[in-house]
Amino acid sequence: MSAYTIHVSGISDATTEQHLTDFFTFCGKITSVQYDRASHTATIHFEKPSAAKTALMLNGGTLDGAHLTITSDQEHQDKDDGAAAGDHIDQADKPRAGIAAEYLARGYKLSDQILQRAIELDQQHGISNRFLSYIQSLDTKLGEKTLGPEKTISGKVQETLASATQQAKAVDEQKGITKTASDYYTRALSSPFGQKVKAFYTSTSKQVLDIHEEARRIAETQRQSGTSTAPTATSTGVGSAAPPITPDVHTVATTPATAADPAAGTGKTAEAPTVV
């Protein structure tokens, strides 16, 4: 059993084990969930300590209308595993502000207090070297493929970016890159907002509004691509939001998202999980 454990209490009668799994999967890979509906408590085990630390960030939020108390018997430390291997990055290795943006993009509601907590965690602990190397590698690979040696896609000026993006799309189609979970970062870095996206994920200097802005980019990109993939253990995870939602778990409307309202695309109703 994983030692990276959190305890959740005050769970709503309406919350199912799938609700809990869907919600906490944003934090990182879950190895097991022990849910006692009679006592309204659950114990969730994560694969990495950073995932448990991210889950604790959500203490005081609400899920299915009930206030959650999230605690742990031990202090969980972030472990930097070094450079990323290949095209994969663990969900737990992402910046907390980025994870918060994924919650918002999927329609969960996070209070400014929780968003600020995410920013402060990133400022205190920095962005993991593993994630930084992943983003830089992706940026460099895209730049070399479309713009030439020693070029980064995020550094390309907006005036000529449309042509570069088309070249990147052609390369992606040949190599199947767009079929992987790294699709969001690939698209975002190749967009006119590439520099801003890179800065968001590689700098600890940001504000709550920056998280909302990134959430809108994620939601809009997913709306355009028609995808909404779940975070996975070794997911390229790029821009992935919540795990798939099924009708028996959530009540979801079908109104498409807009750039102005990231929650619109998910159409969560009052019955859907929210965090405030």
Side-chain angles (χ1 to χ4, degrees):
M1 190 69 67
S2 169
Y4 311 127
T5 301
I6 63 162
H7 305 291
V8 186
S9 59
I11 299 171
S12 168
D13 285 330
T15 299
T16 66
E17 183 174 324
Q18 188 63 51
H19 277 171
L20 291 169
T21 301
D22 287 353
F23 185 74
F24 285 105
T25 294
F26 279 100
C27 303
K29 182 181 179 181
I30 296 172
T31 57
S32 68
V33 175
Q34 297 168 306
Y35 182 24
D36 186 344
R37 300 197 68 161
S39 63
H40 304 282
T41 62
T43 298
I44 300 175
H45 305 270
F46 292 97
E47 184 179 65
K48 288 188 172 185
S50 54
K53 193 176 187 75
T54 300
L56 290 171
M57 176 184 82
L58 302 172
N59 180 46
T62 63
L63 180 63
D64 290 324
H67 290 279
L68 299 180
T69 299
I70 305 171
T71 62
S72 181
D73 296 331
Q74 64 184 103
E75 184 176 349
H76 300 285
Q77 301 293 337
D78 288 327
K79 292 197 303 184
D80 200 330
D81 296 327
D87 295 329
H88 299 289
I89 190 71
D90 287 358
Q91 180 74 9
D93 291 329
K94 295 180 181 180
R96 266 78 185 208
I99 292 174
E102 292 180 5
Y103 271 106
L104 294 176
R106 190 64 174 123
Y108 289 98
K109 296 179 181 178
L110 302 181
S111 69
D112 285 352
Q113 180 181 12
I114 291 177
L115 298 185
Q116 186 60 43
R117 200 178 299 164
I119 292 171
E120 290 172 357
L121 282 172
D122 285 341
Q123 291 173 339
Q124 292 169 9
H125 303 286
I127 310 299
S128 73
N129 289 328
R130 190 175 182 84
F131 188 83
L132 288 174
S133 67
Y134 171 77
I135 288 292
Q136 185 58 49
S137 174
L138 182 60
D139 192 20
T140 300
K141 287 177 181 177
L142 287 170
E144 289 177 346
K145 288 176 181 177
T146 61
L147 305 173
E150 300 182 1
K151 300 288 185 179
T152 60
I153 195 71
S154 67
K156 188 63 177 175
V157 292
Q158 185 170 343
E159 296 90 283
T160 60
L161 189 57
S163 174
T165 302
Q166 289 301 316
Q167 295 178 50
K169 181 178 180 181
V171 172
D172 288 348
E173 288 175 348
Q174 291 175 2
K175 298 183 178 296
I177 296 175
T178 56
K179 295 180 180 179
T180 71
S182 61
D183 189 39
Y184 170 71
Y185 290 146
T186 300
R187 292 173 183 269
L189 288 174
S190 302
S191 76
F193 304 104
Q195 288 181 320
K196 183 173 288 189
V197 170
K198 184 178 179 182
F200 178 85
Y201 285 101
T202 58
S203 169
T204 58
S205 177
K206 57 178 66 73
Q207 299 177 348
V208 166
L209 287 177
D210 296 324
I211 297 180
H212 285 288
E213 183 179 3
E214 175 59 11
R216 286 193 291 270
R217 283 192 290 263
I218 294 173
E220 178 63 14
T221 298
Q222 290 182 338
R223 185 188 69 80
Q224 292 176 352
S225 63
T227 60
S228 180
T229 54
T232 59
T234 54
S235 135
T236 49
V238 232
S240 57
I245 294 178
T246 56
D248 60 317
V249 175
H250 297 276
T251 303
V252 183
T254 57
T255 306
T258 65
D261 184 5
T266 57
K268 281 187 180 290
T269 68
E271 289 76 29
T274 60
V275 176
V276 297

